[in-house]
Every structure is written in structure tokens, then in C-alpha cells.
Amino acid sequence: MKKVIVFMAIALTVFSCGQEPPPTSPKVSERKEHFRMLENTENPKSPADTAHKSIDTQYVYVDANDHSLIIENSYPKGGLKYTDFMGREYMYAIFWTRITNRTTTPLELAIEFPNSLYPLSSSSDRSFRLLIPSDTMTPAKETLFNYGLDLKKTLDNHLDQPSTLKKSIGAKDISSFYVVTLFNKGVGGVLRTGLRMEGQKLFYYVNGKEIECGSITWKR
């Protein structure tokens, strides 16, 4: 059965992030010039040929020049507490995003999350920060606790710094990176996040709160 996807995460599991979500097919959308939305297709094949149970959303983009890429966003892991050196407590969840360049033209990815707190759209007393660890995410880590990320080391060293990611993704290549969400208190329900694109601009959403965070450009 086909369904139209609206670009937001669908609630499937609760914020007890340590539990694996039930196996489901990732939600897929195809966008052309002006980002015309097409119908969802069931049982899509992942470009990295990995199990779908880790993937929450999958977006396919094609522009007027036939540049094509796929953005996949994971389910969360974590949902536990982190305490910083000043004794402040946070609830964390770990996600990853995978970008597949399907063309013969390399692309440049640039993302920046400022050292800022964002109020959650559904609950103004809950705020969050976003961090991009420097660790490399690989398919082999998908089944590991916290997706294999050494969270304490990452946060102890980079908690109060802006997070940036700048990298080239070669022709027909794939690149993955982590995103950590830090909340001042528990969400009290489902937590879904993900990266999506409009034009060349990138946006990261957290339970309906959307933040412009960077861009993708094609090398000449």
C-alpha cells in the first residue's frame, strides 16, 4: 500500500532509545526540480545494502541537472543521562545520517550547529542542543550500543563548542556521520530527528523543530 510522505519523522518507538525499533521499511520520497513530491514506494533497496531496521527516513533528491543523492536518517539509540564537569545533567540520544552521492560529480557537504539551545516545538520547557562528533560512523556499528560512539569522550571534549562538518563526497560514494541530541530533560515520548534538503540548503529537524544548518554543492 502506498502513502504520500510529508517531510517529517513518523513516530514509531518511544524515547527509551536503547530498544531496537521493529523492522520496517524506511519512508522514502523522491523530489525533482522544485521538489515535486511523489508517492512513497514500499520495500526500497538501500544503496548501502544494509538492514532497513536502523533507518527511519530515506529521501531521494534529483535536480534539473540530473544530480542525484540519497539522505538516510536513523532511529535513536541512547535515552540515558550524561553529566558534564559542572554537574549539569542532560538526556542524550544518538542518531546517524548517511548521504549517498549517486552521480559522477563529487559534492561538498557543509553543516554547522551553533552552541545554542533550541526549545522543542511541542514543549517549551524542554530545550536541546545538537552536536556532530568527529568519530566515523560505519555500517558495522549499526548494531552496537550507542552506534559504537564513545559518547562520554566526545561530550567531555566538545560539549561547549559549535559543531561543524565539512567534507567532500566523491562520485558514487557514501558518507555517514553521527548527530547527538542533548536535552535539558527527558522528552517524555517519541524522539525523531533527521536531515533533509530544499534546493541546496540543509535542514535538521527534531520532533517538528526545524533548523537550517548547511548546504550541499556540486563540484565543477
Side-chain angles (χ1 to χ4, degrees), residues 113-132:
F113 295 134
N115 183 18
S116 302
L117 287 172
Y118 298 96
L120 197 62
S121 298
S122 59
S123 180
S124 59
D125 66 332
R126 289 175 169 83
S127 56
F128 64 91
R129 291 183 53 199
L130 297 169
L131 297 95
I132 304 177

Side-chain angles (χ1 to χ4, degrees), residues 176-193:
S176 302
F177 58 91
Y178 293 102
V179 176
V180 176
T181 62
L182 284 175
F183 282 83
N184 62 334
K185 58 178 69 175
V187 174
V190 171
L191 178 61
R192 289 292 179 269
T193 74

Side-chain angles (χ1 to χ4, degrees), residues 3-153:
K3 297 180 181 178
V4 176
I5 184 167
V6 180
F7 285 101
M8 63 182 297
I10 305 298
L12 293 178
T13 59
V14 297
F15 186 39
S16 56
C17 303
Q19 297 181 355
E20 290 290 343
T24 58
S25 297
K27 294 161 285 297
V28 182
S29 63
E30 183 94 14
R31 307 182 98 185
K32 299 241 180 225
E33 188 181 12
H34 305 306
F35 300 104
R36 181 168 58 92
M37 188 184 300
L38 302 183
E39 285 187 316
N40 179 37
T41 56
E42 292 187 352
N43 301 319
K45 293 182 179 180
S46 169
D49 197 26
T50 58
H52 289 151
K53 67 179 181 179
S54 296
I55 302 172
D56 179 32
T57 53
Q58 181 190 81
Y59 302 139
V60 182
Y61 298 92
V62 182
D63 70 7
N65 297 313
D66 288 329
H67 294 134
S68 178
L69 62 90
I70 299 173
I71 298 177
E72 294 172 297
N73 300 295
S74 76
Y75 287 102
K77 283 192 176 183
L80 304 175
K81 287 185 178 180
Y82 165 76
T83 304
D84 69 11
F85 66 96
M86 296 184 65
R88 295 173 296 192
E89 289 189 344
Y90 303 87
M91 296 292 294
Y92 75 84
I94 299 169
F95 299 81
W96 54 262
T97 292
R98 177 166 59 218
I99 298 177
T100 302
N101 181 1
R102 302 205 296 180
T103 72
T104 57
T105 305
L107 63 83
E108 292 288 340
L109 171 67
I111 297 176
E112 181 173 4
F113 295 134
N115 183 18
S116 302
L117 287 172
Y118 298 96
L120 197 62
S121 298
S122 59
S123 180
S124 59
D125 66 332
R126 289 175 169 83
S127 56
F128 64 91
R129 291 183 53 199
L130 297 169
L131 297 95
I132 304 177
S134 58
D135 304 56
T136 300
M137 173 62 194
T138 65
K141 297 179 180 180
E142 288 186 25
T143 60
L144 301 180
F145 176 73
N146 284 347
Y147 290 123
L149 178 66
D150 188 339
L151 181 85
K152 187 176 187 309
K153 179 181 177 181

